[in-house]
Amino acid sequence: MRIATWNVNSVRARVDRLVAWLERSDVDVVALQETKCKDEQFPEERLREAGYEVAHHGLNQWNGVAVLSRVGLEDVRVGFPGQPGWGEGSEAEARALGARCGGVDVWSLYVPNGRALEDPHYAYKLDWLARLRDAGAAWLAEDADAQVALCGDWNVAPTDEDVWDPAVFATSTHTSEPERAAFRAVVDAGYADVVRPHAPGPGTYTYWDYTQLRFPRREGMRIDFALCSPALAARVTGAEIDRQERKGKGASDHAPVVVELG
């Protein structure tokens, strides 16, 4: 089975590229982030025609997450237990969606950006990651053999090797020690980064900003991950970052990340 995660950065703007990539990549399950549409605007029919069942959670033109599967899709869950909200009334945003696909609990996660170190959104980001860690730990405490994939755009570069120039981000989000500690806490709870062993760095990234020719200059960040529970990590036989999909007209600023399971 092949599981992928991809911040598509507007599914309606890139549905043609998405369908073409699904045909080319032969993936069984895809976690999408930043779909940027309401549920009724999601191009579900196009994806069903491509052979995928669809679950989507979108509230407006921001955020939005989806899971696509051609190996079954059941037990759909909007949000993880304890997921914090943001803004007036602290309502939960469309940032987490889980579904059981081919016996694997696949979560599509779009971690808050944080905006700036002094911004309230940064504290929200840290709280969001802490609550995710608690939920993930509880799933493993309940069933040590649970097969769980925490897939998505984590908006954290966990080591200096995961960013093209750490000095550029010394006073901004994504590389701060509290963010990295929050990411490590999820790993320490039992979820392994299964991509890094198969896509070693340095210079291996999943995101390149649209500005300042970041992509052709190879100035990127590795912020998209598939973190797997022990039982699922033991099944991983390979992984890759599809850098080719970042090329060309109308590309997302993120590349898909694909994990191969035995």
Side-chain angles (χ1 to χ4, degrees):
M1 191 161 86
R2 286 163 61 81
I3 297 176
T5 181
W6 188 10
N7 180 323
V8 72
N9 193 7
S10 181
V11 68
R12 289 180 293 170
R14 296 185 170 83
V15 65
D16 290 340
R17 286 191 69 132
L18 172 59
V19 170
W21 182 79
L22 289 172
E23 294 174 352
R24 185 174 70 252
S25 63
D26 194 35
V27 294
D28 298 295
V29 183
V30 186
L32 297 177
Q33 302 85 43
E34 253 194 306
T35 58
K36 293 185 175 180
C37 65
K38 299 178 182 178
D39 288 345
E40 59 268 26
Q41 298 171 313
F42 191 82
E44 181 173 344
E45 188 59 32
R46 285 287 305 278
L47 296 166
R48 288 192 179 277
E49 290 172 356
Y52 292 82
E53 294 182 77
V54 175
H56 177 258
H57 177 44
L59 302 173
N60 47 42
Q61 73 272 30
W62 309 112
N63 310 321
V65 283
V67 177
L68 318 179
S69 174
R70 63 181 189 184
V71 291
L73 192 151
E74 56 188 9
D75 192 20
V76 176
R77 286 147 286 168
V78 174
F80 54 82
Q83 180 182 332
W86 169 254
E88 189 173 347
S90 293
E91 296 181 359
E93 298 180 297
R95 292 186 177 274
L97 183 70
R100 185 158 298 153
C101 308
V104 178
D105 287 326
V106 178
W107 282 89
S108 182
L109 305 170
Y110 182 40
V111 177
N113 178 282
R115 299 179 183 171
L117 297 181
E118 67 280 1
D119 194 291
H121 205 261
Y122 178 76
Y124 165 56
K125 178 180 189 174
L126 296 179
D127 185 34
W128 203 96
L129 285 166
R131 303 289 187 90
L132 175 62
R133 181 265 171 208
D134 291 346
W139 294 329
L140 294 183
E142 183 178 337
D143 179 7
D145 295 322
Q147 299 199 42
V148 183
L150 305 179
C151 303
D153 177 357
W154 291 69
N155 272 314
V156 179
T159 72
D160 282 353
E161 195 174 63
D162 296 314
V163 60
W164 65 276
D165 185 354
V168 172
F169 300 90
T171 59
S172 63
T173 60
H174 290 60
T175 64
S176 72
E177 180 50 35
E179 290 167 287
R180 288 177 167 180
F183 183 93
R184 288 196 302 270
V186 179
V187 174
D188 291 343
Y191 294 86
D193 173 6
V194 298
V195 178
R196 194 48 145 180
H198 302 278
T204 302
Y205 308 125
T206 64
Y207 164 82
W208 302 260
D209 194 282
Y210 286 129
T211 64
Q212 302 182 52
L213 299 175
R214 294 294 189 207
F215 183 68
R217 292 167 59 176
R218 298 182 176 271
E219 297 175 348
M221 306 177 77
R222 192 173 75 106
I223 58 176
D224 302 85
F225 299 91
L227 299 189
C228 294
S229 63
L232 188 60
R235 294 178 55 193
V236 174
T237 59
E240 64 176 331
I241 298 167
D242 189 354
R243 191 176 183 276
Q244 289 295 115
E245 187 55 37
R246 178 59 176 81
K247 297 179 179 179
K249 183 178 180 180
S252 170
D253 45 4
H254 294 252
V257 178
V258 182
V259 174
E260 187 87 35
L261 301 177

